[in-house]
């Protein structure tokens, strides 16, 4: 499940930070933080994850840095759709036109398309 | 006269089981400078507008959560 995968990655990240000797104190702090997060109870970890990710139909999606990011289009569309439904290009463009100032050009659209595939590499939210 | 039929619109699937994953490693890596960022929670957050390449989002989330926890322990449970 997603929580297990995130815990696993947190532990791996902690080990990676701990093994880096270049910037000891800072990376040690990150390592400790990752270790602590990995050991959070389920409810607490989910609460903490809400700060950096959004659950969408059983997968976690990292929040974009910018509020007008095309990733927000995907998040909205996926949330509005049933889990097994499909989205058309026109639906994506229409949603972008409504929620982004400039809509999506072809380049941005293809990035959204590619990202949607990457997004679904996530593990489900629940076991 | 032979008429060319328009190709159907591409579809996106919201179900993970219906999508073939791309190897995120082939898309390159996102590097971040801890020193330069004013907001550590954004260090590892992906944004397609910026043109950054993608990496596995699970790892992205793990990195972002670690940064938030390291810089603001009260913000996480």
């Amino acid at each position: 499940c997603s929580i297990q995968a995130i815990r696993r990655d947190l532990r791996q990240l902690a080990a990676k930070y701990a093994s880096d000797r270049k910037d000891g104190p800072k990376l040690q702090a990150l390592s400790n933080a990752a270790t602590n997060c990995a050991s959070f109870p389920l409810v607490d970890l989910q609460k903490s994850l809400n700060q950096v990710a959004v659950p969408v139909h059983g997968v976690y999606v990292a929040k974009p840095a910018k509020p007008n990011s095309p990733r927000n289009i995907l998040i909205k569309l996926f949330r509005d759709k049933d889990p097994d439904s499909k989205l058309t290009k026109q639906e994506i463009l229409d949603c972008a036109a409504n929620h982004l100032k400039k809509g999506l050009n072809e380049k941005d659209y293809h990035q959204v398309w590619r990202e949607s595939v990457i997004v679904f590499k996530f593990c489900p939210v629940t076991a | 006269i032979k008429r060319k039929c328009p190709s159907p619109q591409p579809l996106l699937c919201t179900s993970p089981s219906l999508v073939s994953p791309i190897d995120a490693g082939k898309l390159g890596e996102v590097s971040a400078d801890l020193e330069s960022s004013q907001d550590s929670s954004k260090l590892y957050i992906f944004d397609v507008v910026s043109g950054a390449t993608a990496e596995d989002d699970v790892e992205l989330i793990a990195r972002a959560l670690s940064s938030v926890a390291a810089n603001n322990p009260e913000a996480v449970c």
Side-chain angles (χ1 to χ4, degrees), chain A residues 73 76-77 80 90-104:
Chain A
I73 299 302
K76 174 173 173 47
L77 284 168
D80 290 347
Q90 194 58 49
E91 286 177 309
I92 295 172
L93 296 178
D94 289 344
C95 187
N98 289 332
H99 293 87
L100 302 179
K101 293 181 179 179
K102 61 178 181 177
L104 286 180

Side-chain angles (χ1 to χ4, degrees), chain A:
Chain A
C1 70
S2 173
I3 295 299
Q4 287 182 351
I6 291 171
R7 288 190 198 277
R8 178 201 65 215
D9 273 35
L10 284 166
R11 293 189 182 102
Q12 291 175 350
L13 198 60
K16 181 177 179 180
Y17 284 146
S19 67
D20 193 320
R21 304 298 179 184
K22 293 182 179 179
D23 194 350
K26 180 168 292 186
L27 294 185
Q28 187 59 47
L30 285 168
S31 176
N32 292 340
T35 300
N36 291 337
C37 289
S39 63
F40 281 170
L42 176 61
V43 172
D44 294 340
L45 182 54
Q46 287 174 326
K47 287 180 181 178
S48 300
L49 282 170
N50 287 337
Q51 299 185 58
V52 299
V54 179
V56 181
H57 291 313
V59 298
Y60 272 109
V61 179
K63 290 182 177 179
K66 299 178 181 177
N68 62 342
S69 167
R71 179 174 276 222
N72 283 327
I73 299 302
L74 282 180
I75 292 172
K76 174 173 173 47
L77 284 168
F78 289 163
R79 279 185 153 181
D80 290 347
K81 288 280 189 175
D82 292 334
D84 293 326
S85 63
K86 298 183 178 181
L87 296 173
T88 65
K89 177 178 181 180
Q90 194 58 49
E91 286 177 309
I92 295 172
L93 296 178
D94 289 344
C95 187
N98 289 332
H99 293 87
L100 302 179
K101 293 181 179 179
K102 61 178 181 177
L104 286 180
N105 56 33
E106 280 297 314
K107 180 182 177 183
D108 288 340
Y109 171 75
H110 284 294
Q111 278 196 276
V112 170
W113 169 262
R114 184 175 65 175
E115 185 175 356
S116 74
V117 180
I118 298 169
V119 163
F120 285 92
K121 290 191 68 178
F122 299 157
C123 298
V125 169
T126 57

Side-chain angles (χ1 to χ4, degrees), chain B residues 3-74:
Chain B
R3 191 169 186 176
K4 185 178 180 181
C5 297
S7 60
Q9 291 182 336
L11 302 179
L12 292 180
C13 301
T14 61
S15 171
S17 63
L18 299 179
V19 178
S20 300
I22 290 178
D23 181 359
K26 294 181 179 178
L27 299 173
E29 295 184 354
V30 175
S31 62
D33 184 356
L34 293 175
E35 297 289 346
S36 63
S37 176
Q38 296 297 316
D39 184 346
S40 62
S41 68
K42 297 182 178 179
L43 280 175
Y44 297 96
I45 294 177
F46 178 77
D47 191 296
V48 295
V49 175
S50 70
T53 54
E55 65 175 358
D56 189 326
D57 249 45
V58 177
E59 183 180 352
L60 194 66
I61 292 168
R63 287 178 179 268
L65 186 57
S66 300
S67 294
V68 171
N71 289 277
N72 188 10
E74 292 80 16

